[in-house]
Amino acid sequence: ATYCSLSCSLSAMASFGGGYSSNADSYRLPAKQREAERILANAQKQGASGNVGAAYKGAMEATSIFTEIGDFSGAIDARRVAAKQAASEGRFEEARSIVEKG
């Protein structure tokens, strides 16, 4: 039951908008925000292609940048990507911890 509830929650959370890829190219955004969005978009692509390690690392890096610039919505989205990657490798407690920090 614990696996299903966490897994189902992560699947639902991972279906958030794909605007990070397009926003990363928007010069209307501050440079740090573009950088974080570019890193998160790349992490999402890495995760979709099965490269869990790179996806996790990128999502955590994006989380750090989003938090630094005060974009807490972006930080939460990045945490969701990182948590999904951790859960996909069976690291459920780590995934739960990542989500609960947000």
Side-chain angles (χ1 to χ4, degrees):
T2 302
Y3 167 76
C4 181
S5 62
L6 179 61
S7 178
C8 295
S9 295
L10 291 172
S11 292
M13 290 187 298
S15 65
F16 60 92
Y20 289 100
S21 182
S22 60
N23 285 345
D25 295 330
S26 174
Y27 289 99
R28 293 177 293 151
L29 298 175
K32 276 286 205 187
Q33 182 148 2
R34 282 195 318 269
E35 176 186 7
E37 294 195 10
R38 182 179 36 76
I39 292 168
L40 181 54
N42 188 52
Q44 290 172 315
K45 289 177 189 173
Q46 292 292 330
S49 68
N51 193 346
V52 175
Y56 178 84
K57 181 180 176 187
M60 294 305 289
E61 182 179 356
T63 298
S64 177
I65 297 169
F66 280 128
T67 301
E68 175 188 325
I69 63 173
D71 182 345
F72 300 109
S73 178
I76 290 169
D77 287 343
R79 284 186 188 281
R80 290 175 183 150
V81 172
K84 182 177 180 185
Q85 300 312 309
S88 75
E89 291 190 322
R91 301 182 338 244
F92 302 112
E93 288 306 314
E94 181 180 354
R96 181 184 314 278
S97 174
I98 291 167
V99 170
E100 288 175 352
K101 287 180 184 177

